[in-house]
Amino acid sequence: MSYDVAIIGCGVTGAAIAFELSKYNLKTVILEAENDVASGTTKANSGIIHAGYDPRPGSLMAILNALGSEYAPELCRKLDVPVKWTGSFVCAFDKKDDVTVKELYGRGLKNRISQMEILNPSQIKKLEPNLSDKITSALYAKTAGVVSPWELCLAFAETAVLNGTELKRNFKVNSIKKIPCEQCNKEYKNAYEITSGKGEKVNASFVINAAGVYADEIHSLVAKPSYKIKPSRGQYFLLDHEASGIVNRVIFQCPSNGTKGVLVAPTCHDNIIVGPDAEATEKDDIAVTSQGLNYIAELAKKSVPSIDLSLSIRNFAGVRANSTKDDFIIREVPESKGFIDFAGIKSPGLSASFAMGEAALMLLEKAGLHIEQKKRFIDTRKKIRFKELSEQEKKQLIKDNYTYGRVVCRCETITEGEILAALNSIIKPVSVDGIKRRCNAGMGRCQGGFCSPRVIKLLMDFGLEYDEIMQDKNGSYIIAGEL
Ligand SMILES: Cc1cc2nc3c(=O)[nH]c(=O)nc-3n(C[C@H](O)[C@H](O)[C@H](O)COP(=O)(O)OP(=O)(O)OC[C@H]3O[C@@H](n4cnc5c(N)ncnc54)[C@H](O)[C@@H]3O)c2cc1C
């Protein structure tokens, strides 16, 4: 098959680019190695839409973070992505930190971030009474928010697919060859043949490399290595709803050790998230360690002394795509016309994702892609979230469709109707966690202990055999055989 553009990787970067390209009359395909979208770093991070005061002024990170956080409110509203505009604090604990807070404020001004102020201890206590008495000042950035990162990725990807983009899952790119342009779209002077590990082939005139921690390896398939991804793992605690309210804003400490500082924050699903640390690791190493968790626990207590980490319902880790460059690497590869890297997309990559599509389009046009806006583009998406409805709306919904009257996940009040809607959605889930990412079944206190068997049964009703069902990624089988 021949395409105008092939996007390698369907994390939030690839999905956001696909969403933007789907506004134009283009043949676009996304090639994703895993069985679902949002399977890489996008599913395991802090979920913060950063205000944008942190990155070095003038860097791509600074420009795209500022633009991304500006675009985020409207895009989240249109695409029905769970988000809360909480604001964030960066807390200082001594004179050195006070200086850092002032520096961050100054950097924020240079990055044109609005609605920031530096608070004194009594102002801090008034807004966040559970914070430590030892905090000496804090940078308050009112435009920061918390978002569901995997739902954001799904929203971009689903809308792109709805508007004609093709998504090929289980397509792990393992070779890319420059081919004569006659074998692709003759309009263009560049063409690539992309082959998966299983031998499936796709031709495309332009290629976007959005392969996360593997972007350096994808780059090396078409050009000399010019950077390396140096993965860094960050671990977390996720606390039960019972902890919610202990803080109402994202509470950072001053940046240290390659992180934006250990945070305690509400999530958009009313949990509390605590983390991350930063440790050099392998690309796929998402293990959690007692050492890492103890370190995070200690720092979290420094900010919020009364935090009860025994309310933890899950620990997890994500891997940052840090690179040998000090910025996002977003550019056409000089020796490979039409091949564009979106590499080293570390934090604030999620925040910047809202602007990544625009950046990609600019580079693609510069590289020669012809674009023409579609006459019809579906730019909205709406989901039913049963527990957020009024009593009246719930009654009516159950009357119209009785499956919304059957609660499958009791911890999160997720109904069979919502799971069936997920199973019928345009990018169908094929695993238990795929359903969790689409409708939150299994996200609560019991972490799927009670609802997983029913979710498995529903997956089987949709055509999967019991021994095909996976917890998440390929190979994570749950049921080994019949007795
Ligand atoms: C601990 C931590 C905390 C963070 N916190 C924040 C935050 O609060 N706010 C923020 O803005 N950012 C944050 N980030 C950064 C943010 O999560 C990332 O920038 C973002 O998720 C990167 O998305 P991506 O699509 O580039 O990469 P990924 O999500 O990793 O997606 C890459 C995709 O490419 C696929 N792929 C890889 N190789 C191949 C191949 N050969 N063929 C086909 N597909 C392939 C993968 O399967 C994957 O789906 C954090 C990151 C970490 C690790």
Side-chain angles (χ1 to χ4, degrees), residues 21-311:
L21 297 188
S22 72
K23 297 176 184 168
Y24 299 87
N25 285 318
L26 293 169
K27 255 183 108 195
T28 305
V29 65
I30 318 174
L31 308 171
E32 169 52 53
E34 297 295 341
N35 63 24
D36 202 359
V37 310
S39 289
T41 303
T42 294
K43 76 171 177 192
N45 53 65
S46 309
I48 314 297
I49 299 180
H50 294 288
Y53 51 76
D54 190 56
R56 176 174 49 80
S59 63
L60 284 172
M61 292 198 296
I63 295 163
L64 290 169
N65 187 166
L67 268 180
S69 68
E70 186 188 323
Y71 297 164
E74 192 187 344
L75 276 170
C76 287
R77 188 174 45 74
K78 281 190 163 172
L79 300 180
D80 194 14
V81 177
V83 66
K84 283 186 187 160
W85 298 105
T86 56
S88 68
F89 281 6
V90 181
C91 298
F93 289 83
D94 54 32
K95 288 211 166 69
K96 192 170 145 251
D97 283 354
D98 286 333
V99 173
T100 305
V101 160
K102 282 191 190 130
E103 277 170 8
L104 289 173
Y105 178 81
R107 232 190 281 172
L109 292 179
K110 285 192 185 140
N111 290 347
R112 297 173 181 235
I113 309 306
S114 62
Q115 299 187 58
M116 297 183 300
E117 59 181 297
I118 295 180
L119 304 181
N120 64 34
S122 76
Q123 290 170 312
I124 294 166
K125 273 284 182 189
K126 220 164 160 184
L127 292 172
E128 292 287 354
N130 292 320
L131 293 195
S132 164
D133 296 336
K134 295 191 177 134
I135 295 175
T136 50
S137 67
L139 171 63
Y140 182 18
K142 293 180 190 161
T143 56
V146 292
V147 71
S148 167
W150 51 87
E151 270 220 52
L152 174 61
C153 179
L154 266 163
F156 281 137
E158 284 180 359
T159 314
V161 171
L162 200 62
N163 284 293
T165 302
E166 251 184 77
L167 168 66
K168 287 183 187 288
R169 292 185 262 180
N170 299 309
F171 193 114
K172 184 170 183 183
V173 174
N174 82 344
S175 91
I176 307 178
K177 218 166 67 184
K178 288 181 195 168
I179 53 172
C181 42
E182 301 79 58
Q183 290 180 27
C184 205
N185 187 338
K186 290 190 204 78
E187 249 186 295
Y188 301 118
K189 294 197 173 63
N190 29 284
Y192 294 90
E193 180 188 80
I194 307 170
T195 310
S196 78
K198 293 178 188 155
E200 201 182 341
K201 289 186 193 308
V202 152
N203 290 354
S205 306
F206 297 84
V207 180
I208 300 276
N209 170 15
V213 287
Y214 288 96
D216 54 347
E217 294 174 33
I218 296 292
H219 170 102
S220 301
L221 296 175
V222 296
K224 278 200 290 281
S226 62
Y227 58 90
K228 226 177 145 32
I229 300 293
K230 295 164 75 185
S232 159
R233 182 179 60 187
Q235 307 182 41
Y236 292 94
F237 289 91
L238 186 71
L239 307 190
D240 185 45
H241 295 309
E242 207 180 312
S244 98
I246 189 144
V247 295
N248 300 303
R249 293 166 185 77
V250 180
I251 310 298
F252 291 105
Q253 292 168 9
C254 285
S256 66
N257 275 346
T259 79
K260 291 191 174 56
V262 165
L263 61 84
V264 178
T267 71
C268 59
H269 299 114
D270 287 330
N271 299 94
I272 292 286
I273 191 168
V274 181
D277 60 343
E279 193 188 345
T281 186
E282 303 299 318
K283 290 183 172 178
D284 279 326
D285 181 7
I286 50 164
V288 288
T289 63
S290 56
Q291 196 188 2
L293 294 174
N294 288 340
Y295 168 79
I296 294 162
E298 205 177 299
L299 284 179
K301 286 194 172 129
K302 186 176 167 195
S303 298
V304 189
S306 59
I307 194 159
D308 180 1
L309 292 165
S310 73
L311 292 174

Side-chain angles (χ1 to χ4, degrees), residues 320-333:
R320 300 174 186 85
N322 292 353
S323 79
T324 37
K325 311 266 180 208
D326 171 32
D327 200 356
F328 294 157
I329 303 162
I330 299 181
R331 54 166 199 168
E332 185 177 27
V333 175

